[in-house]
């Protein structure tokens, strides 16, 4: 493994909402592999921790593959404890609460892969950990299920050893997991870890921009998930290899408008941009029964915009009022049933501004 | 001509710096043709006015065809006076100070076309005007020369009749001119009229977003113009008809990053995004002798980024310090000579935050 870590590991509080007016210098000079650190091995500051990581909405219409945001009150939990019965430097998965098809082999489980990556980055060699994963998110829903597990696990390891990794480093740990499960893309894992909206500026080196939706402004998402399997690989295969110049210019301008709407705290402008994709959504929506009708109904009912969340099948609409969001959600559920013959459930969730975080801990004895 | 003007004409002070946190509703329901207004014919409030409109930098790397900004202290002047010898409702061009090849026929002159458009929008039928155009910008330099003439003329007419048109309406008047001269694109005319950075969100209906670079932050442009003809049509022909998906995603993400850098007042991030275009600049730069070397030299000398201004041949680099900008400009001039065998001149100019404006007037007798 190449050593490509170019800066000293600095303590950081990743629960702070990071606002990035001047982009940080890239942390890594190369992204050839998982970075390793050669500083003193850290000791656990807790005997056990519990973390939560939120669901995420990636793509956001014209921002395909480079922008995502986190939604509050929906996500996965990871409980992690120091376990003398586990081989030092390794992770064992003791329990997966949720879908039975998830592997308990840490090398094949999103949370396990991310936890191992974070341990390697921290240089943990003398402590074994056991991990329990509680899935709050359905698999393959387009809500960043794998990213939430990975984010919760990476942050749990980091908290366990004194919070020494920077958010970008935690994203790298999570990316190892995403690469094995759904492809090397950071538009779910970055907002799952950092909260809010995160723009992926580049991968080599990894360069992330946290976009700050103003605190005083309301932003809510209506998330409507039908009972339908829309595998990421199939949805990726539907994408065109090339884009005509007029559509390229259009989508670029709408992506710019969406970023401006986020920074200006403008849900109307955000919704309008979200609805405007002429490249990806037109190819994918027909593959999800009823999706086109659901979008139409959402906008007619007063949503500021609507598109597919991630690779689907969840539909996401933007509003700034919870009650209105609930009514819109019901109409979207009806449309999935009427036009797509699919049962669906709806939720109204706020923008998550914090990202993956500690929700419980037991200090290590001194 | 279809009447497609849907709102009453409201007085507006277009010299205000417009900040657009929530996008305005479209003014026009269609953009089929020049809108006509049916309100009472306005009377001139001045016997003569003089206006200035700034140069503009369009495209800005990855923001091809939808984003431009205005630069201060460089542009065109229009002097306009009520002239009883001119047929009522018409414009006569009395003088063009500058390049001799510009027509004095108002139907073939950017300033004339925009002045006539603005008069029609205002419903001026009883007053004839004579116009003098003073070119401060070289033709075909990539600095929005035609847009500056059109903007100065449209604003002069508007000022003459009591400032009744909104900025979006003035842009429509200017677009009539741009369409005849260099193509139906608003990324020069919109910032020439409105100042600052303007994102063209859509044309049908016209929807413009003013992006506010924070007042307290410095932003300067090093503009280096070689003696070389780079006609817009030839530069357009160099563009690819289709864009591969990875390049599309890359440029979209950089466009989003550029918009964020503008709103965050981040010259470093702006320069980085400006330099990042993988679609247009790689096709056009080789057509301008020395351009690739000029960009390299600019960045090596400390510019935050560099690209082609508009369709060229001017190179634009971003800095936040005037003295540093001058040094960088000299090196860019040297590189044009050494690598492209072209003489060039350099200037360092600030972001213009105001746009086209009144610089002199004589009130009408009461």
């Amino acid at each position: 493994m190449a050593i490509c870590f170019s800066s000293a590991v600095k303590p950081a509080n990743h629960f702070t909402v990071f606002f990035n007016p001047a982009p940080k210098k890239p942390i890594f000079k190369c992204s050839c592999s998982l970075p390793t650190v050669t500083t003193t091995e850290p000791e656990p500051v807790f005997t056990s921790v519990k973390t939560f990581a939120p669901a995420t909405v990636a793509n956001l219409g014209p921002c395909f593959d480079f922008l995502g945001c986190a939604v509050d009150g929906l996500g996965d939990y990871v409980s992690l404890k120091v376990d003398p019965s586990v081989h030092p430097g390794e992770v064992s998965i003791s329990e997966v609460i949720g879908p039975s098809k998830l592997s308990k082999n840490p090398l094949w489980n999103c949370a396990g892969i991310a936890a191992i990556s974070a341990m390697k980055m921290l240089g943990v060699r003398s402590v074994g950990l056991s991990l329990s994963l509680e899935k709050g998110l359905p698999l393959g829903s387009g809500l960043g299920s794998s990213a939430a597990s990975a984010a919760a696990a990476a942050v749990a390891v980091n908290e366990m050893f004194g919070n020494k990794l920077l958010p970008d480093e935690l994203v790298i740990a999570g990316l190892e997991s995403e690469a094995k499960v759904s492809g090397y893309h950071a538009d779910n894992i970055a907002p799952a870890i950092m909260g809010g909206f995160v723009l992926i500026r580049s991968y080599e080196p990894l360069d992330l921009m946290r976009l700050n939706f103003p605190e005083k402004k309301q932003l809510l998402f209506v998330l409507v998930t039908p009972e339908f399997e829309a595998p990421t690989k199939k949805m990726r295969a539907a994408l065109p290899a090339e884009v005509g110049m007029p559509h390229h210019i259009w989508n670029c301008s709408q992506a710019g408008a969406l970023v401006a709407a986020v920074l200006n705290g403008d849900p109307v402008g955000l919704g309008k941009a979200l609805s405007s994709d002429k490249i990806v959504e037109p190819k994918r929506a027909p593959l999800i029964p009823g999706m086109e009708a659901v979008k139409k109904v959402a906008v007619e009912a007063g949503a500021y915009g609507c598109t597919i969340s991630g690779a689907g099948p969840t539909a996401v609409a933007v509003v700034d009022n919870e009650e209105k969001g609930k009514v819109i959600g019901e109409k979207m559920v009806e449309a999935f049933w009427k036009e797509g013959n699919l049962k669906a459930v709806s939720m109204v969730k706020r923008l998550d501004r914090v990202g993956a975080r500690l929700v419980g801990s037991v200090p290590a004895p001194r």
Side-chain angles (χ1 to χ4, degrees), chain A residues 34 81 154 198 277 280 299 328 334:
Chain A
L34 194 67
K81 63 178 182 183
V198 183
D277 174 21
V280 176
V299 173
I328 291 168
E334 273 173 32

Side-chain angles (χ1 to χ4, degrees), chain A residues 5-342:
Chain A
F5 188 57
S6 68
S7 68
V9 177
K10 295 169 197 161
N13 174 11
H14 66 271
F15 301 129
T16 308
V17 174
F18 283 87
F19 175 55
N20 195 358
K24 284 173 278 185
K25 285 189 180 171
I27 294 164
F28 303 103
K29 294 296 180 196
C30 70
S31 66
C32 42
S33 185
L34 194 67
T36 54
V37 288
T38 52
T39 49
T40 316
E41 183 181 353
E43 289 191 6
V45 295
F46 299 109
T47 53
S48 72
V49 294
K50 186 172 183 180
T51 55
F52 167 80
T56 44
V57 175
N59 295 342
L60 293 160
C63 301
F64 177 69
D65 251 16
F66 69 86
L67 189 71
C69 67
V71 294
D72 198 24
L74 182 69
D76 289 356
Y77 290 88
V78 159
S79 299
L80 193 71
K81 63 178 182 183
V82 174
D83 189 342
S85 73
V86 176
H87 193 278
E90 292 185 4
V91 172
S92 165
I93 296 180
S94 57
E95 190 180 26
V96 176
I97 304 165
S100 59
K101 73 175 183 180
L102 285 180
S103 173
K104 284 174 73 177
N105 180 337
L107 300 176
W108 294 101
N109 179 294
C110 308
I113 300 165
I116 293 166
S117 297
M119 286 174 80
K120 283 188 181 168
M121 290 170 83
L122 286 163
V124 176
R125 297 177 295 271
S126 313
V127 178
L129 300 171
S130 75
L131 183 155
S132 165
L133 171 63
E134 189 183 334
K135 290 294 299 177
L137 284 172
L139 307 183
S141 59
L143 290 169
S145 173
S146 60
S149 297
V155 168
V157 170
N158 191 38
E159 287 294 333
M160 178 70 90
F161 292 95
N163 200 8
K164 297 186 189 301
L165 298 175
L166 292 168
D168 300 51
E169 294 163 334
L170 290 165
V171 172
I172 299 259
L175 257 172
E176 286 284 304
S177 168
E178 289 287 85
K180 285 186 187 163
V181 178
S182 59
Y184 194 81
H185 59 91
D187 44 341
N188 288 111
I189 188 69
I193 285 172
M194 297 162 73
F197 288 85
V198 183
L199 187 151
I200 320 302
R201 199 164 181 169
S202 77
Y203 285 95
E204 294 184 18
L206 185 68
D207 187 355
L208 308 171
M209 285 185 93
R210 176 70 153 70
L211 305 177
N212 188 37
F213 192 90
E215 291 283 346
K216 289 178 183 171
K217 298 288 184 80
Q218 283 266 35
L219 184 63
L220 296 112
F221 302 95
V222 185
L223 301 166
V224 181
T225 307
E227 288 180 3
F228 180 76
E229 197 177 346
T232 303
K233 278 186 184 170
K234 190 180 165 192
M235 298 307 269
R236 288 230 155 222
L239 300 176
E242 298 217 308
V243 175
M245 187 58 100
H247 278 186
H248 164 68
I249 295 168
W250 172 263
N251 262 41
C252 263
S253 67
Q254 303 312 305
L258 194 145
V259 167
V262 169
L263 292 171
N264 288 334
D266 169 21
V268 179
L270 201 162
K272 188 174 171 183
L274 191 84
S275 271
S276 69
D277 174 21
K278 289 188 178 179
I279 296 170
V280 176
E281 189 194 300
K283 295 284 181 190
R284 286 181 164 179
L287 304 179
I288 303 167
M291 180 59 81
E292 287 152 314
V294 167
K295 175 173 179 165
K296 195 163 174 277
V297 158
V299 173
E300 282 171 0
Y304 298 135
C306 180
T307 190
I308 304 166
S309 177
T314 297
V316 55
V318 168
V319 292
D320 57 6
N321 175 294
E322 192 159 2
E323 287 311 308
K324 193 172 141 191
K326 284 179 184 169
V327 173
I328 291 168
E330 285 166 17
K331 292 188 176 176
M332 291 166 74
V333 168
E334 273 173 32
F336 260 130
W337 179 246
K338 199 173 157 193
E339 303 294 332
N341 202 28
L342 295 177

